[in-house]
Amino acid sequence: MQELEERILTEGVIRPGNVLKVDGFINHQCDVDLFDRMGAEWARLFAGRPVDKILTIEASGIALASIAALHFGRVPVVFARKSVGKNLDGDLYHAVVHSYTHGVDNNVIVERRLLNPGENVILIDDFLANGAAIRGLLEICDQAKVNVQGIGIAVEKGFQTGGHDLRAMGYDVQSLAIVQEMDADTGTIRFA
Ligand code: 5GP
């Protein structure tokens, strides 16, 4: 998606550890007009698929998924939470996800009543690096016996393994921008 690539080129900042910061429009401030067009693009890419729900992971996935949901028939958005809060009762689906940006393992949970066997689900997240976050969501989808109709990613870092691995597993991964190379010294970013 050219508009997203241009925003990354003009506003993205490369941080140590191959972290691309896009705080100005995705991770700390949300450009909802851009999100609206990203949602439309995912809806186009996944056209014809049955979608009952969108599943994402807190925090940055929530806004993206919510605006995208408007383009998928205003379906509910379920977001996996990163720890068990006091207000969560009942049985939970659960996975352990290693955080790429924070370097810690998080317990990721979804209440069982929010995902029902046989439902059709699209996964959405902001970044795809090594794939741990999405694999955690897939584990939850597996426990819930829902059908994963596709995986929508805003920014895939194509030089890391997540996208390749998920596609090799047979998932339809649609990334709106794929960063193929980024150089912290020169600030250069090259897209696939
Ligand atoms: P993965 O689990 O695929 O290794 O990493 C994806 C998760 O880590 C995303 O949910 C995102 O929050 C975070 N992440 C990974 N790489 C980056 C990055 O370069 N920039 C930002 N802002 N987040 C990233």
Side-chain angles (χ1 to χ4, degrees):
M1 187 179 173
Q2 195 178 343
E3 181 185 3
L4 180 59
E5 291 184 359
E6 282 167 6
R7 285 296 285 276
I8 292 168
L9 286 177
T10 51
E11 293 180 42
V13 177
I14 305 165
R15 286 287 163 87
N18 279 325
V19 172
L20 177 61
K21 291 204 81 173
V22 287
D23 287 4
F25 57 102
I26 293 181
N27 292 124
H28 200 23
Q29 169 170 269
C30 300
D31 182 334
V32 295
D33 274 324
L34 174 64
F35 284 15
D36 192 30
R37 291 186 285 275
M38 291 165 70
E41 182 62 4
W42 278 316
R44 189 186 68 79
L45 292 165
F46 293 121
R49 304 282 173 86
V51 180
D52 300 309
K53 279 177 186 167
I54 293 180
L55 176 64
T56 186
I57 183 165
E58 67 177 4
S60 293
I62 298 174
L64 277 170
S66 298
I67 293 180
L70 299 174
H71 295 272
F72 285 91
R74 307 178 104 82
V75 294
V77 174
V78 177
F79 57 95
R81 296 182 137 185
K82 283 182 180 159
S83 63
V84 180
K86 285 190 186 123
N87 57 343
L88 291 166
D89 49 23
D91 284 344
L92 304 171
Y93 302 119
H94 168 245
V96 177
V97 171
H98 184 77
S99 165
Y100 182 86
T101 40
H102 298 106
V104 295
D105 284 341
N106 286 310
N107 279 314
V108 166
I109 56 103
V110 170
E111 282 196 42
R112 277 180 187 268
R113 67 186 170 87
L114 299 179
L115 289 176
N116 301 299
E119 283 182 326
N120 295 298
V121 172
I122 296 265
L123 310 189
I124 283 187
D125 202 10
D126 59 342
F127 272 85
L128 176 59
N130 293 318
I134 292 293
R135 278 199 307 276
L137 293 182
L138 288 170
E139 220 177 297
I140 284 171
C141 288
D142 199 44
Q143 292 166 27
K145 298 184 172 58
V146 297
N147 308 313
V148 177
Q149 293 290 341
I151 300 171
I153 299 292
V155 186
E156 174 178 340
K157 292 185 291 180
F159 53 88
Q160 292 175 294
T161 57
H164 172 270
D165 295 348
L166 292 168
R167 290 183 184 98
M169 290 162 76
Y171 291 105
D172 181 6
V173 182
Q174 297 291 347
S175 302
L176 302 184
I178 302 181
V179 174
Q180 207 49 51
E181 223 175 82
M182 56 187 206
D183 185 333
D185 295 330
T186 60
T188 318
I189 295 172
R190 192 174 64 77
F191 295 99

